[in-house]
């Protein structure tokens, strides 16, 4: 498969799903409705960066993000938070952001991401929860982590550990890496497919990475969908309704159970939102 990297506007002038997601979030639009039929990249470049080796691109039939070993320092029950730092935390500030997609390039809402890493000196907190925390993707599949660039310790290159899990699906355990690190060439665990895109941001760093999970999805409409018929397919599901876990609805002659609390929107119909609805 051709995995040549493309810019945010994509090769041959095609707009990538990543670019549309960012634009939709910035404009406060409903991402699932905006994204219908737009192709995606697992990771895109920013600025004038040189392309490192690719993470898997997100398209039908492609490979999910590769797993890696958990390592000896994982601890369960980390606190739920999107920032692992405060004003007094030493180290170069780092923001990691991105999206979680399924196999059909549709965003996965409510996906769990559990991060852990070394401090600026290369040490892990094995008694408490410094530089440990979990969060969930938002309705557009996006996440954002505030942390520091981890320090080095013997035998490893610079990296961040993460576990990612779509609702009701197996856990992906993997590690994220930094481009341009000398130890990337000597670390036996290093995988170039897990390189983040990293850029300078004043005295801080900004990184981007998109996860592709082994989650089957309805691919949705084609890039040139047929006109939507008037009326509704029938059933009790309705846009604008607030649903709670366990609520039941019908849509298109089938029954569905709600998996996550949310307010329904056009584009989030039960057949199109497996992260929100389970077929009964």
């Amino acid at each position: 498969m051709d995995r040549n990297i493309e810019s945010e506007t994509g090769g041959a002038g095609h707009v990538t799903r990543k670019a549309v997601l960012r634009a939709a979030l910035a404009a406060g639009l409903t991402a699932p409705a905006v994204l219908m039929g737009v192709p995606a990249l697992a990771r895109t470049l920013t600025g004038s960066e040189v392309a490192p080796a690719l993470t898997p691109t997100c398209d039908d039939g492609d490979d999910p993000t590769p797993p890696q070993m958990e390592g000896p320092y994982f601890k369960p029950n980390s606190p739920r938070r999107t920032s692992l730092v405060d004003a007094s935390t030493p180290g170069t500030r780092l923001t990691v952001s991105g999206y979680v997609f399924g196999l059909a390039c549709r965003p996965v809402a409510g996906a769990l991401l559990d991060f852990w890493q070394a401090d600026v000196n290369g040490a892990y907190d094995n008694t408490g929860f410094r530089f440990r925390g979990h969060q969930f993707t938002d309705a557009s599949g996006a996440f954002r982590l505030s942390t520091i660039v981890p320090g080095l310790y013997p035998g490893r290159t610079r990296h961040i550990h993460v576990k990612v899990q779509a609702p009701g699906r197996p856990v992906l355990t993997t590690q994220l890496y930094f481009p341009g690190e000398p130890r990337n060439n000597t670390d036996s665990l290093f995988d170039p497919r897990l390189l983040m895109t990293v850029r300078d941001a004043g005295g801080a760093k900004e990184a981007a990475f998109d996860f592709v999970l082994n989650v089957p999805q309805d691919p949705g409409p084609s890039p040139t969908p047929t006109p939507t018929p008037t009326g509704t397919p029938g059933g009790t599901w309705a846009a604008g309704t607030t649903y709670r876990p366990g609520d039941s609805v019908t849509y298109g002659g089938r029954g569905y159970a709600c998996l996550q609390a949310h307010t329904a929107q056009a584009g989030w119909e039960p057949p199109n939102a497996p992260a929100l609805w389970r077929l009964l």
Side-chain angles (χ1 to χ4, degrees), residues 17-114:
R17 183 183 296 258
K18 183 74 171 288
V20 175
L21 270 170
R22 292 193 183 281
L25 287 173
L29 301 177
T30 305
V34 174
L35 291 172
M36 292 299 184
V38 180
L41 291 179
R43 179 161 50 81
T44 51
L45 293 177
T46 56
S48 59
E49 293 171 325
V50 176
L54 285 175
T55 60
T57 48
C58 175
D59 59 28
D60 294 345
D62 207 344
D63 298 328
T65 300
Q68 287 216 316
M69 66 178 294
E70 179 181 282
Y73 301 122
F74 173 70
K75 289 181 61 176
N77 303 316
S78 69
R80 181 175 178 176
R81 56 190 179 188
T82 58
S83 177
L84 308 183
V85 297
D86 57 34
S88 63
T89 305
T92 300
R93 293 298 189 269
L94 171 69
T95 300
V96 182
S97 62
Y99 298 89
V100 176
F101 294 107
L103 293 178
C105 292
R106 299 177 67 82
V108 179
L112 169 68
L113 298 103
D114 196 348

Side-chain angles (χ1 to χ4, degrees), residues 146-160:
S146 297
T147 183
I148 64 165
V149 176
L152 293 167
Y153 60 91
R156 291 302 317 275
T157 191
R158 219 178 295 273
H159 63 281
I160 296 174

Side-chain angles (χ1 to χ4, degrees), residues 2-264:
D2 182 6
R3 290 185 177 177
N4 292 329
I5 198 157
E6 301 172 86
S7 68
E8 282 284 6
T9 56
H14 296 298
V15 179
T16 68
R17 183 183 296 258
K18 183 74 171 288
V20 175
L21 270 170
R22 292 193 183 281
L25 287 173
L29 301 177
T30 305
V34 174
L35 291 172
M36 292 299 184
V38 180
L41 291 179
R43 179 161 50 81
T44 51
L45 293 177
T46 56
S48 59
E49 293 171 325
V50 176
L54 285 175
T55 60
T57 48
C58 175
D59 59 28
D60 294 345
D62 207 344
D63 298 328
T65 300
Q68 287 216 316
M69 66 178 294
E70 179 181 282
Y73 301 122
F74 173 70
K75 289 181 61 176
N77 303 316
S78 69
R80 181 175 178 176
R81 56 190 179 188
T82 58
S83 177
L84 308 183
V85 297
D86 57 34
S88 63
T89 305
T92 300
R93 293 298 189 269
L94 171 69
T95 300
V96 182
S97 62
Y99 298 89
V100 176
F101 294 107
L103 293 178
C105 292
R106 299 177 67 82
V108 179
L112 169 68
L113 298 103
D114 196 348
F115 294 96
W116 72 104
Q117 66 172 78
D119 64 16
V120 70
N121 298 313
Y124 288 83
D125 179 7
N126 296 318
T127 58
F129 289 93
R130 287 186 301 113
F131 297 107
R132 300 175 184 271
H134 74 271
Q135 60 179 276
F136 296 88
T137 56
D138 64 17
S140 63
F143 70 91
R144 184 178 181 87
L145 175 71
S146 297
T147 183
I148 64 165
V149 176
L152 293 167
Y153 60 91
R156 291 302 317 275
T157 191
R158 219 178 295 273
H159 63 281
I160 296 174
H161 295 270
V162 60
K163 290 179 179 285
V164 190
Q165 182 180 25
R169 303 291 301 181
V171 177
L172 166 69
T173 300
T174 193
Q175 302 180 36
L176 303 181
Y177 295 100
F178 294 77
E181 288 290 326
R183 292 193 187 181
N184 287 352
N185 296 324
T186 58
D187 188 332
S188 62
L189 295 178
F190 171 73
D191 188 333
R193 295 172 297 174
L194 296 169
L195 279 166
M196 297 182 289
T197 296
V198 182
R199 69 178 181 181
D200 292 326
K205 301 280 188 182
E206 293 181 349
F209 190 90
D210 297 332
F211 296 93
V212 181
L213 299 183
N214 188 13
V215 175
Q217 294 175 313
D218 180 344
S222 66
T224 54
T226 55
T228 303
T230 57
T232 65
T236 59
W237 181 91
T241 303
T242 298
Y243 293 105
R244 298 179 180 180
D247 287 350
S248 297
V249 300
T250 56
Y251 185 90
R254 294 186 174 185
Y256 296 87
C258 180
L259 297 174
Q260 301 181 66
H262 67 285
T263 299

